[in-house]
Amino acid sequence: MTNEAIATQRAPAARAPEAGLPDYMTEVYDWAYVNPRWVRFLDRNAVVSTLLFGNAGRLMRAYLKRIKPGMRVWQVAHVYGDLVKQVAQRVGAEGHFDLTDVTPIQISQARGKLAGVPQAHVTEHNASTWAGNADYDLVCSFFLLHEVPDALKHAVVDRMLSRVAPGGTVFFVDYHRPALWQPVGWLLRLVNHYLEPFAYAMWGREIRDFASNADAFTWHKTTYFGGVYQAVEVRRREA
C-alpha cells in the first residue's frame, strides 16, 4: 500500500537479500515489508489510514462483517495496523484464524499482535502453496494481489479458491482502475511507476481473470472512492 507520503521518501540503502524470500520482495519491497526500521514505522493504524486516503476503516469493515464467531478464516498476508487482531477477535475462541506471510519481520510483527490468542496461528509460508489444515469458511486477500508479479497473482488466486469450503467465501480487497474524474488516480500513476510495478495489472484486468476456473464461481465486485479500490466476493457455484 502506498501514497504520496511514501513516494517522497528516500528509499533505504540496498541490503543483502534474506534467505527464502522471493526476489521481488527484496528488489521491490525492501523499504515496505523487509527492512525492520521501515516496517516498525509503517505498522500502525494511522499510517494505513493515510496510505488508503482515509478509506481503511470501511474497507476493513467490508472484510470483518463477513466473519462470524466459530468460522475458520485464512488471511493470505499480514496487514499493518490492528486488522489481524480484529479478525482473531471476530472468529472467537471457537473459531480458527490462520495468517500466512513470506517475510520474517512480518511474521514477527503478527505474532507480537496475536500473542496469547489461541485461535490465531501465524505461519511463515507462501500463499500460493499454503495447504492449511482444512478448508476455510472465509479466505481473504487484503491488498496483496497488487504487490505480486502476475504469475504469482494467478497462483495465489487459484490457491485461495481451492481452499474455500463448500458454502464459504473468498474475499479480495485491492486496488482498481480509478474513474477518470478521480484525481487520486493520477497520483497513483506516479506511485505505481516508481514503487508499485505490479499494481497496473489490477487496473487493466478483473481479479477473476487470474483464476484458472473462474466460471466455477460467482464474482460480485463493489468499488469504492471513485473506483480506486475494489472488494470482490467469490462463492463456488452450486452443482
Side-chain angles (χ1 to χ4, degrees):
M1 295 178 287
T2 56
N3 79 335
E4 75 275 23
I6 299 303
T8 58
Q9 297 287 341
R10 183 180 180 84
R15 303 186 305 120
E18 295 194 28
L21 281 179
D23 290 343
Y24 75 90
M25 288 298 299
T26 52
E27 293 170 358
V28 178
Y29 288 113
D30 182 89
W31 64 273
Y33 299 117
V34 180
N35 186 303
R37 178 170 63 89
W38 279 91
V39 167
R40 295 186 184 106
F41 168 74
L42 293 168
D43 194 0
R44 59 194 75 191
N45 286 338
V47 171
V48 176
S49 181
T50 300
L51 298 179
L52 294 178
F53 301 98
N55 290 274
R58 64 173 172 169
L59 293 170
M60 290 179 181
R61 286 192 296 272
Y63 169 25
L64 292 169
K65 75 179 184 180
R66 288 169 168 80
I67 302 173
K68 307 299 181 187
M71 290 180 70
R72 295 184 58 87
V73 177
W74 170 32
Q75 184 175 306
V76 301
H78 178 238
V79 175
Y80 288 149
D82 67 357
L83 178 62
V84 296
K85 292 178 65 175
Q86 294 189 62
V87 174
Q89 290 167 357
R90 287 284 181 120
V91 302
E94 300 303 316
H96 183 97
F97 176 41
D98 275 325
L99 175 66
T100 57
D101 206 291
V102 296
T103 311
I105 185 61
Q106 300 297 327
I107 294 296
S108 177
Q109 294 292 104
R111 285 178 174 160
K113 297 172 188 178
L114 296 170
V117 183
Q119 66 267 28
H121 304 266
V122 182
T123 306
E124 187 174 339
H125 206 288
N126 193 311
S128 66
T129 58
W130 173 248
N133 298 312
D135 289 343
Y136 295 92
D137 302 302
L138 176 63
V139 180
C140 182
S141 168
F142 196 88
F143 285 97
L144 173 67
L145 288 185
H146 77 281
E147 294 174 338
V148 301
D150 285 3
L152 193 54
K153 287 180 174 64
H154 285 277
V156 170
V157 170
D158 280 347
R159 177 58 61 169
M160 291 174 66
L161 295 175
S162 76
R163 301 312 303 149
V164 67
T169 300
V170 179
F171 196 60
F172 299 92
V173 181
D174 220 300
Y175 286 98
H176 183 267
R177 176 184 288 275
L180 290 176
W181 56 263
Q182 171 55 273
V184 167
W186 300 100
L187 172 61
L188 289 176
R189 284 174 170 83
L190 292 175
V191 172
N192 290 350
H193 178 75
Y194 289 105
L195 295 175
E196 298 273 21
F198 312 123
Y200 269 126
M202 309 304 296
W203 291 32
R205 303 177 68 177
E206 299 290 345
I207 291 176
R208 64 169 291 147
D209 295 339
F210 297 106
S212 299
N213 194 22
D215 290 342
F217 300 84
T218 60
W219 302 73
H220 177 75
K221 179 175 73 174
T222 303
T223 60
Y224 302 84
F225 199 50
V228 173
Y229 308 112
Q230 62 180 316
V232 179
E233 184 176 67
V234 188
R235 292 181 178 271
R236 190 180 302 275
R237 294 184 186 276
E238 295 184 4

